[in-house]
Amino acid sequence: VCDILMSIAKLKPKLLRGMEFRYVFCMVVKLLSPTYAGMVRNYNLRAMLGDVLYDLFLPTDSASDHDSHRRDIPSSVSHDPMKGGLSYLLSNEAAQETLAPSLLLLYGEVEHTGYYDKMSHRAKISSLIKYLWESKEHRPAFQKITQNKESFIKFANGIINETNTLITTVVQKLPEIREAQEKMANPSEWGRLSEEDQSMITSRLDDNEREVKHALPLCNKTMQMFGYLNTDEDIRRLFLLPDLYPRLVTMLNHVL
């Protein structure tokens, strides 16, 4: 069901016009909630539930610039006509109570979905978390996060791991990209290479550029999330727990 909905949203979004997705939204929120999370134990399936929230229910004016296909999704998909046209993410009572902590937990869980998949999932989850953070409807739920240290530590470790990975990727790949570009820009040096070597360098350059293109936006989103979450005193105090602050200091030294 998730695959079908996301495929239609990407390929034929206008087909969704006039259709109501209230019950789909409620189902996704419920399955991600702590009470029902045990019903979907597979990390890839849980990550897909987060993708559905992003692809279908995050208002298009809140999406990333690179998700141009979302601009064609009718606003009726993400907004509840029975709640004055508010987005389901803001108007649904169950979402107001459970979605913020559910997404923070999911951010940590997608660590198990594979390197490239987790980057895509976390970029979408970050956008959802930022949207909820900026709404007064979800602020009480963010306050409740401080009551579950175990879940928060899993989320925080996910952020720290992601930041370390992204920074390492960018620092390693950018010099390689520059070196390849300089070789290709020098006709005499490039001409001395065999056709096989040229093909290998070009292929490696394409791979590196693609990886950096994915890593940098997510790195920016992750650092922004660090920033706005730490404006809350209680959440900031959790980042300083003995289980977290040594890794946090190491990460910040790595970034700086």
Side-chain angles (χ1 to χ4, degrees):
V1 174
C2 291
D3 274 335
I4 293 173
L5 287 174
M6 289 189 292
S7 295
I8 295 174
K10 184 175 182 179
L11 301 174
K12 296 288 185 180
K14 293 182 181 179
L15 292 178
L16 302 175
R17 190 180 305 277
M19 300 178 67
E20 188 173 304
F21 291 90
R22 179 184 295 106
Y23 296 113
V24 173
F25 179 82
C26 292
M27 178 189 70
V28 172
V29 169
K30 179 169 286 190
L31 290 176
L32 285 175
S33 69
T35 304
Y36 294 92
M39 297 180 66
V40 183
R41 298 180 182 275
N42 184 284
Y43 289 123
N44 289 289
L45 291 178
R46 289 181 58 72
M48 193 177 294
L49 293 174
D51 289 352
V52 168
L53 284 179
Y54 176 86
D55 288 340
L56 289 182
F57 297 105
L58 182 66
T60 52
D61 57 357
S62 302
S64 324
D65 291 337
H66 67 272
D67 290 315
S68 56
H69 71 275
R70 298 189 74 256
R71 300 190 193 116
D72 295 326
I73 296 177
S75 61
S76 58
V77 173
S78 58
H79 292 73
D80 188 352
M82 298 180 65
K83 295 293 181 66
L86 281 175
S87 69
Y88 288 107
L89 285 168
L90 299 186
S91 64
N92 183 270
E93 293 182 2
Q96 292 172 11
E97 293 178 7
T98 67
L99 192 53
S102 296
L103 289 175
L104 293 183
L105 179 60
L106 185 64
Y107 190 98
E109 291 177 335
V110 298
E111 181 78 24
H112 306 283
T113 60
Y115 179 73
Y116 289 105
D117 285 340
K118 76 174 181 180
M119 290 174 65
S120 174
H121 296 316
R122 281 179 170 165
K124 294 179 179 182
I125 295 170
S126 296
S127 294
L128 287 164
I129 291 174
K130 186 173 186 293
Y131 181 74
L132 300 187
W133 177 265
E134 292 174 345
S135 70
K136 65 180 186 300
E137 291 87 353
H138 287 268
R139 193 50 61 90
F142 277 102
Q143 294 293 331
K144 291 181 181 178
I145 291 167
T146 60
Q147 301 172 12
N148 190 334
K149 292 183 180 180
E150 183 178 347
S151 292
F152 184 85
I153 288 173
K154 183 179 290 188
F155 158 71
N157 278 324
I159 287 189
I160 293 170
N161 291 341
E162 192 67 27
T163 304
N164 286 333
T165 299
L166 293 170
I167 294 297
T168 300
T169 296
V170 172
V171 169
Q172 288 178 346
K173 300 301 181 183
L174 284 178
E176 294 180 14
I177 290 173
R178 181 179 178 84
E179 181 182 356
Q181 290 174 336
E182 289 177 345
K183 283 183 180 180
M184 296 172 71
N186 187 328
S188 59
E189 182 180 1
W190 186 249
R192 288 195 296 269
L193 297 174
S194 67
E195 186 175 331
E196 181 180 352
D197 287 341
Q198 289 180 356
S199 177
M200 183 176 66
I201 291 173
T202 302
S203 177
R204 183 67 181 271
L205 174 62
D206 289 341
D207 290 342
N208 286 342
E209 287 180 334
R210 182 168 55 251
E211 194 160 353
V212 169
K213 183 179 179 181
H214 281 86
L216 279 176
L218 180 54
C219 188
N220 288 334
K221 283 187 175 184
T222 304
M223 297 309 295
Q224 288 172 6
M225 184 159 54
F226 260 121
Y228 63 71
L229 287 178
N230 275 284
T231 60
D232 183 282
E233 184 177 349
D234 292 330
I235 293 178
R236 185 166 61 247
R237 191 178 297 115
L238 287 179
F239 274 112
L240 298 177
L241 287 170
D243 292 337
L244 290 176
Y245 82 82
R247 297 196 66 221
L248 182 61
V249 170
T250 302
M251 182 209 75
L252 292 175
N253 285 334
H254 184 51
V255 171
L256 298 174

